[in-house]
Amino acid sequence: MVRRHELSDVEWEALSGLLPRSSSGRPRLDDRRVLNGIVWKLRTGSAWRDVPARYGPWRTLYTRFRRWALDGTFTRMLAAVQAEKDATGDIDWLVSVDSTVARAHQHAAGARKKGQGQGDEVCDHALGRHRAVDVEQLPLGFVLTGGNAADCTHFEEVMDTIKVRRAGPGRPRTRPDHVLGDKGYSSRKIRAYLRKRGISHTIPERRDQRANRSRRGRNGGRPPAFDKQLYKNRNVVERCFNRLKQYRAIATRYDKTRESYQAAVTIASLFLWLRPL
């Protein structure tokens, strides 16, 4: 019997071959059981110690989660599923970008910091999330940043995380057909970056930018093109955030380390791909 939040047989078949195998040592706890326990923990936001015993010892679940987070297993799983979806034409390359903030629970405090004393909130805590999603609300890439990071400052970094492998030979696809963003992404630098890469975009101009252009007259240049109908698709990124935050461990951050929280977001993204609307 498949319980709530657990992997179906189809999902397990898709993921089982992507998990690392151990060929030596004593028999270990079944990977499907462990992955079910990890997903249950992320969906409910419970502490590791409170994961039901049917999934095995909580220390085993946490150890396996940390190992797979640090060795890139979850990232490779997400990349493999995205590549498969793209090969079957299930990715719409009309991409929306935006950011959100996760509330940090008091349990997220107290992690040992690298370079402590440098005051680098972005590297140490990573409480914000910037994400690019396709028109079907499926995440193509994301970046963790400090909660005080402006949208525009991480736009190129978010775009660089879009790397969908080809089914055959060739480099991964990194370029969307079109990018949608709100006024937070209205800057000369971002527009120049998109033009250089040959990516069309729909980003509304801020009021102060319009006023400044008007003051300059002819020297202000033409207003950027804006497709009002196409821009209506931008809200898919907000809906993607809402779907991700159904995982309570993502809506409220309990993890102390950046690596664990990034792995949690990666797992949630993976299951959005496996469980489309």
Side-chain angles (χ1 to χ4, degrees), residues 16-22 28 31 67-68 71 73 76-77:
S16 57
L18 304 174
L19 292 169
R21 299 295 180 184
S22 178
R28 66 178 191 173
D31 282 338
R67 183 189 305 149
W68 289 343
D71 69 11
T73 294
R76 289 191 295 272
M77 292 167 73

Side-chain angles (χ1 to χ4, degrees), residues 28-48:
R28 66 178 191 173
L29 192 64
D30 176 66
D31 282 338
R32 181 172 182 175
R33 188 177 171 191
V34 170
L35 196 53
N36 279 332
I38 291 172
V39 173
W40 187 93
K41 190 270 182 194
L42 298 180
R43 285 301 300 262
T44 63
S46 301
W48 286 104

Side-chain angles (χ1 to χ4, degrees), residues 124-146:
D124 289 342
H125 301 304
L127 299 181
R129 294 197 302 280
H130 299 255
R131 181 171 292 275
V133 306
D134 80 344
V135 77
E136 299 297 330
Q137 307 175 35
L138 298 174
L140 289 168
F142 70 91
V143 170
L144 299 183
T145 69

Side-chain angles (χ1 to χ4, degrees), residues 149-167:
D151 292 0
C152 60
T153 58
H154 292 275
F155 176 80
E156 293 182 25
E157 191 178 354
V158 172
M159 296 297 290
D160 287 343
T161 65
I162 302 176
K163 295 178 181 179
V164 178
R165 296 202 312 259
R166 309 280 184 175

Side-chain angles (χ1 to χ4, degrees), residues 77-99:
M77 292 167 73
L78 177 58
V81 171
Q82 287 177 335
E84 182 180 346
K85 297 293 185 181
D86 189 45
T88 56
D90 291 332
I91 295 182
D92 189 315
W93 287 92
L94 173 61
V95 172
S96 297
V97 293
D98 207 346
S99 66

Side-chain angles (χ1 to χ4, degrees), residues 39 63 193:
V39 173
T63 299
Y193 167 84

